[in-house]
Amino acid sequence: DLDEGLKWTNKAVIIDCDNPDVHKMRMWIHYLRDEEKLAADDALRYVKFADADEVDIDDVTFFLCGNYEYALEKVWQKIEKLENCGIWIAIYVRMCEYNDDYEAALDIYNQILEAEPDQDVIRSRAANCYYKLGRYADALREVNTAMKTSSDIELIGRRADIYVAAGDYRAAISDFSSLTENNLATVTTYRRLGLCYEYIGRDDLSFESFQQGIFLFPGEDAGIYVLRGDCYMGNGDKTAAESDYQMALNIEDATEITDWSALALMGLGRSDDALQCINELIESAPQSPSNYYIRACLLCRMDRPDEALQSLRDALQHGFSSFATIENNPDLLPLRRNPEFRRLLDEYSARN
């Protein structure tokens, strides 16, 4: 009963207005009532009264971004007033990243690094912003600089992801392999490693990576089942492939629907359902370039090259910048005969 809950939390705020937990509880209630501005206001109050070390910045950012422009202005006002500046700056840049405004986040990160160059965490986040912007040389520079003084294992995975986006698959394989050999890998590591092997034509090692990831992390990741399913299908084992595609759908039904569901549906031959799935994802997150890219791949598989080319154009316009991935993806092979495909890639790669 959200109405009853709001009534009692309003009373609690009057009695104990400096208690951050009360504002956090009311923040959730406003969110569930679709009252985004009020939820943002309570998120701001929660941060104001909470111990900075106890604030979950990602959690707060989610609620503030429900009313982005309003909340961003309020957070900036806190920074200008020098009210507990560190936490508000952290929230401000995280909001910028959440809203894909990586240039604004980079501006803040670079100002911090200019004053305090040994801030490895900040340098790592700056690297991620460069990565999102397709500025891979800058991203690698920041990660490599951070790795000189930091032992954070996540930096190895981040550098590997940058290598993948830049098309240096062998360097990425080296980094991913260092994680697997030292028992520091996640299921995503094995999935990404398998893709890298696929891109250099080592299908045997690609399949082995997917197998090992599933063995170590069964039922955790839909994507690795889709990719192993593609391997089975390529080898003519339709039964095993369909089993993996269905497993991917089961995982996402229990968690969150992503583009892997669309690819699993396509593998099962349900092309119309796959296209509907990816279109719904685009509608819910129209700024996400990867969804347009996946739709281009699906449309190629459906023998609709003109629509696929338009969807690829949409992906590039929304910031998709992994040109090596585009060049190496076998799904996009039908587009490579079209001169417009090369013109598009040359145009957008020149911009980056």
Side-chain angles (χ1 to χ4, degrees), residues 12 92 156 224 303:
Y92 182 87
I156 299 175
I224 200 167
D303 196 24

Side-chain angles (χ1 to χ4, degrees), residues 59-73:
D59 199 19
V60 169
T61 298
F62 172 77
F63 289 101
L64 291 175
C65 285
N67 200 301
Y68 181 74
E69 297 295 340
Y70 167 79
L72 194 69
E73 181 181 353

Side-chain angles (χ1 to χ4, degrees), residues 41 91 101 175 201 207 210 216 223 234 270-271 284 319:
D41 282 333
I91 291 171
D101 190 353
D175 274 349
F207 181 76
F210 300 144
L216 293 173
R270 296 164 57 184
S271 55
S284 65

Side-chain angles (χ1 to χ4, degrees), residues 136 140 143-144 147 155-181 189 192-193 195-197 199-200:
Y136 303 129
L140 283 171
V143 166
N144 285 329
M147 290 176 70
L155 289 172
I156 299 175
R158 178 157 292 173
R159 186 173 67 178
D161 286 339
I162 297 168
Y163 281 136
V164 171
D168 193 346
Y169 301 119
R170 294 184 186 278
I173 287 170
S174 177
D175 274 349
F176 285 135
S177 295
S178 72
L179 294 173
T180 61
E181 290 163 6
T189 307
R192 302 282 279 167
L193 176 60
L195 277 172
C196 288
Y197 279 127
Y199 290 150
I200 65 170

